[in-house]
Each structure stands twice: as structure tokens, then as C-alpha cells.
């Protein structure tokens, strides 16, 4: 790059004459905020450019940074030097970060500056991880392996006032804390994804409970186990898509607008109450871990009409009575499927 006019290089720095918005586009393409910050050594003009980027991305595969020092400390220092008022994307991937009492510096920054999407991944660690209020965040993805995700006391309704999508991955959560946040402080939440999440009991040793009550939620996907002694409840008048966890205890699901269901684990109509939902779905998927054909048959009886059916059966585990029952259910008038769906297990046997 040519230097500034009048510098010792004697050249003309044409890139530095570009407007900040265009320079931001160039630096964002690096997908590395640390590399963008290093451009400040090029000239005086560049010293302030990176500090106003609308998107910040930090990724360290190891706990120690290549140039020395802890990776999380370098991220904290970069965020402290950031001069912009808001960021539309903050993406941080760290191998490890120390457990903090209260809100850690990077989450304080996220709470104050993120007006868009927050993505955070911590591959190792222990202890609590506190998610503070993020009033302007519209999407949050948290992967905090083996950490307990905590929520500070919420000061007022609408703490996550703009949040539309929330993904929590590989974390431990207090079911009551999470339920309180979802029920009272996410008024615009439309999508909730819980993957490999372990629901803990409360600190008063009460059994774990996961209760989701949302009047805005439209999509709920849960790739997790809800143990025998846990309570599970979903009340979502606008819910359209539901991918169930493996539910071993009693469950109550109230979703009058339900259109798509993917069911994992056992299904027992005496324990698993899907209330107010119609019997006709646009799509029904019975996952391969639905335990056995009797559970699948009962679920197909609960939803006896579907435009599309995805049914996975491990035939080697079926005895003749179970197979006959599934064949009768699929072929009976109680279950109606479109031409895209499997209407008989004969098709499965032939493959």
C-alpha cells in the first residue's frame, strides 16, 4: 500500500482516501477483528477505522494467542478500545475463558453495544456464565460447553425486548431461571433452539422444571433429554413448528396452531398431552429414536392426517406383532397421507 502524501515513501495513499463505509466493507471481509485492528499501523488515517467497524469477529483455536497472552484478554482489550456506539454482529469463538463472578467484560460489551446478532462459543470451562440484559440484540447463539448459564435478576419487562431468535447449545441451565426469562422478558421471541442442554433443578433442591410460556414463539426445536422427574410444559398460542426433546416424564403442550411436528423418544398419550392442536399436520416426522412401533402408532393416531410423513423404522428390531400393528395403522382409514408420504410399510420393506 502506498503511504500518505508527504510521507517518506513519497507515494499517494489512494486507499486511505476511500470513505469509511467502504473501508469497513474491506475490513469486514477479513472476518478477523484482530487483523483489522493491526491495520492501524499503516497510517494515521487507519488508526480509527477498525474501531468503528459495524461487525466484529474474534476466533482463537487455543487459549493462548499466537503473539503471547491469553486469547480472552486480547479480546477484552480490543473491545475496550472499540469506539463505535453499536455493532450489528459480535462473533467470538474462544477455546477457554475464566469463570467470572457476575458479568464478564465481553458480555458487558455485548449488553451495551450489540444491536443485532451475538454469537459466542466457549469450548472449555467450568462454573457459571452470566447472560446479562441485551435489549437491542435480535439474535443470540450461545455455546458454553459444560457451563451453567445464568440470568441476572431481570429489572423490567422487555429485558431482551428485540430478541427474535435464541439458540443455547451444550450448556447447563436452571429450568426455572430460563423459564422466567422466556416467559416474561422476551416479548418478540419467535425461534428457540435448545441443543444438548441439561436442565438442572433449582438451588432449593426442587425437581427440575422447564416451563415455556410465550405468546410470540413460532418455532421450538429441542435436541435434549427431559428426565423422568422433570416437569415439562409449553404454552405457545402461535407455535407452528415443534421438534420435541426426549420426554420421559409427564408433559403438557398447548399449541393450537401447530403445523409441523418432529417427535423424538417415547410417546405415551397418558403422559404426553398435546392439547388444542388439530389432528391434521402439514408435516409429521417420527424420529428413529421413537423407541418402538407402538409409540409410533400411537403418535400416528394422535395426528391421523399429514400432508407429509417422514417415518424411520429399524425393522431388525421389530417383532411380527409390532410390524403388523404399524402396517394396519398406516393403511387404515384413521391415517391419511398425501402422495408424498409413506402410506404403507410395504414400501419400507421393499427398500
Amino acid at each position: 500500500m502506498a503511504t500518505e502524501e508527504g510521507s517518506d515513501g513519497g507515494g499517494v495513499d489512494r486507499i486511505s482516501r476511500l470513505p469509511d463505509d467502504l473501508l469497513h466493507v474491506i475490513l469486514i471481509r477479513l472476518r478477523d477483528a484482530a487483523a483489522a485492528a493491526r491495520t492501524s499501523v499503516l497510517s494515521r488515517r487507519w488508526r480509527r477505522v477498525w474501531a468503528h467497524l459495524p461487525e466484529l469477529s474474534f476466533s482463537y483455536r487455543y487459549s493462548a494467542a499466537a503473539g503471547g497472552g491469553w486469547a480472552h484478554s486480547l479480546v477484552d482489550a480490543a473491545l475496550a478500545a472499540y469506539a463505535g456506539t453499536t455493532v450489528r454482529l459480535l462473533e467470538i469463538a474462544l477455546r477457554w475463558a475464566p469463570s467470572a463472578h457476575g458479568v464478564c467484560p465481553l458480555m458487558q460489551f455485548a449488553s451495551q453495544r450489540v444491536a443485532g446478532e451475538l454469537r459466542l462459543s466457549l469450548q472449555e470451562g467450568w462454573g457459571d456464565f452470566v447472560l446479562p440484559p441485551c435489549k437491542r440484540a435480535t439474535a443470540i447463539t450461545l455455546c458454553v460447553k459444560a457451563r451453567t448459564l445464568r440470568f441476572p435478576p431481570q429489572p423490567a419487562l422487555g429485558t431482551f425486548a428485540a430478541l427474535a431468535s435464541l439458540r443455547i447449545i451444550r450448556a447447563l441451565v436452571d429450568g426455572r431461571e430460563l423459564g422466567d426469562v422466556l416467559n416474561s422478558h422476551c416479548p418478540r421471541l419467535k425461534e428457540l433452539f435448545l441443543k444438548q442442554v441439561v436442565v438442572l433443578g433449582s438451588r432449593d433442591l426442587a425437581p427440575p422444571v422447564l416451563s415455556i410460556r410465550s405468546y410470540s414463539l413460532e418455532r421450538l426445536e429441542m435436541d435434549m433429554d427431559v428426565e423422568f422427574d422433570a416437569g415439562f410444559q409449553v404454552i405457545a398460542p402461535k407455535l407452528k413448528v415443534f421438534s420435541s426433546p426426549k420426554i420421559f416424564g409427564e408433559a403438557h403442550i398447548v399449541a393450537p396452531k401447530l403445523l409441523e411436528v418432529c417427535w423424538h423418544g417415547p410417546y405415551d398419550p397418558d403422559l404426553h398431552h398435546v392439547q388444542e392442536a388439530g389432528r391434521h399436520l402439514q408435516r409429521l416426522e417420527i424420529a428413529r429414536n421413537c423407541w418402538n412401533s407402538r409409540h409410533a402408532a400411537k403418535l400416528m393416531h394422535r395426528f391421523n392426517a399429514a400432508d407429509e410423513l417422514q417415518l424411520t423404522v429399524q425393522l431388525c428390531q421389530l417383532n411380527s406383532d409390532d410390524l403388523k400393528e404399524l402396517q394396519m395403522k398406516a393403511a387404515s382409514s384413521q391415517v391419511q397421507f398425501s402422495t408424498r408420504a409413506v402410506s404403507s410399510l410395504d414400501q419400507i420393506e421393499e427398500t
Side-chain angles (χ1 to χ4, degrees):
M1 178 185 296
T3 58
E4 290 182 289
E5 285 191 70
S7 67
D8 293 338
V12 177
D13 183 358
R14 301 185 186 279
I15 293 181
S16 293
R17 291 181 174 182
L18 296 174
D20 282 0
D21 289 346
L22 188 52
L23 294 178
H24 289 164
V25 172
I26 295 172
L27 294 183
I28 286 173
R29 290 181 179 275
L30 295 176
R31 304 300 301 167
D32 185 344
R38 287 195 290 271
T39 62
S40 60
V41 303
L42 296 176
S43 69
R44 292 188 300 273
R45 169 75 171 85
W46 285 83
R47 291 175 187 173
R48 61 181 177 83
V49 174
W50 83 269
H52 291 82
L53 285 175
E55 299 182 9
L56 297 176
S57 180
F58 301 90
S59 180
Y60 292 92
R61 295 180 59 186
Y62 304 102
S63 300
W70 293 104
H72 67 85
S73 297
L74 297 181
V75 173
D76 290 343
L79 295 179
Y82 183 77
T85 56
T86 62
V87 292
R88 64 178 180 233
L89 170 64
L90 176 61
E91 184 175 25
I92 300 174
L94 296 174
R95 182 75 179 180
W96 174 83
S99 178
H101 296 289
V103 182
C104 62
L106 68 88
M107 292 309 298
Q108 288 179 341
F109 179 92
S111 176
Q112 298 166 1
R113 307 286 186 92
V114 173
E117 186 172 2
L118 168 65
R119 303 175 194 162
L120 175 65
S121 175
L122 298 178
Q123 295 302 314
E124 295 178 357
W126 57 86
D128 292 351
F129 184 86
V130 179
L131 177 62
C134 297
K135 295 182 180 180
R136 293 179 290 179
T138 58
I140 296 177
T141 299
L142 296 176
C143 179
V144 286
K145 184 180 180 181
R147 301 219 180 186
T148 301
L149 184 60
R150 295 290 184 186
F151 303 88
Q154 307 302 320
L157 182 66
T159 298
F160 295 89
L163 189 63
S165 176
L166 174 62
R167 296 172 181 261
I168 302 176
I169 303 168
R170 303 174 74 182
L172 289 73
V173 299
D174 182 310
R176 296 180 188 275
E177 282 188 13
L178 177 61
D180 179 63
V181 170
L182 297 175
N183 299 348
S184 303
H185 305 289
C186 300
R188 292 180 174 84
L189 188 66
K190 294 184 180 296
E191 298 179 339
L192 174 62
F193 300 84
L194 303 177
K195 183 175 183 179
Q196 299 179 33
V197 170
V198 177
V199 179
L200 304 174
S202 299
R203 294 175 177 174
D204 59 6
L205 302 181
V209 173
L210 182 58
S211 178
I212 300 171
R213 183 189 299 266
S214 172
Y215 294 96
S216 60
L217 192 64
E218 297 180 2
R219 187 181 193 94
L220 174 59
E221 296 189 18
M222 308 173 72
D223 179 6
M224 53 187 285
D225 295 348
V226 178
E227 302 298 339
F228 285 99
D229 59 347
F232 179 67
Q233 181 186 66
V234 176
I235 300 177
K238 294 184 178 181
L239 188 66
K240 298 177 181 179
V241 179
F242 176 57
S243 180
S244 77
K246 300 182 188 73
I247 309 171
F248 298 102
E250 189 168 1
H252 295 270
I253 301 157
V254 180
K257 294 188 177 181
L258 201 59
L259 297 176
E260 297 184 21
V261 172
C262 177
W263 194 272
H264 298 268
Y267 175 77
D268 184 344
D270 294 328
L271 288 175
H272 306 140
H273 308 284
V274 184
Q275 302 168 309
E276 297 187 20
R279 298 172 67 84
H280 185 168
L281 297 175
Q282 289 182 358
R283 183 174 183 272
L284 172 62
E285 178 181 348
I286 302 176
R288 61 184 177 182
N289 55 9
C290 195
W291 282 42
N292 59 49
S293 63
R294 296 184 186 277
H295 293 287
K298 291 177 181 178
L299 191 60
M300 291 165 67
H301 179 73
R302 170 60 183 85
F303 300 107
N304 68 352
D307 297 332
E308 180 181 349
L309 171 67
Q310 182 173 332
L311 175 64
T312 303
V313 180
Q314 297 178 356
L315 294 178
C316 60
Q317 296 182 359
L318 298 180
N319 58 43
S320 58
D321 291 338
D322 287 341
L323 180 57
K324 183 177 180 180
E325 181 180 357
L326 261 183
Q327 287 175 319
M328 292 176 61
K329 279 290 184 183
S332 71
S333 58
Q334 293 179 321
V335 186
Q336 305 165 16
F337 302 105
S338 73
T339 55
R340 291 183 296 163
V342 176
S343 59
S344 170
L345 289 187
D346 293 337
Q347 300 173 22
I348 300 176
E349 292 180 291
E350 292 172 1
T351 60

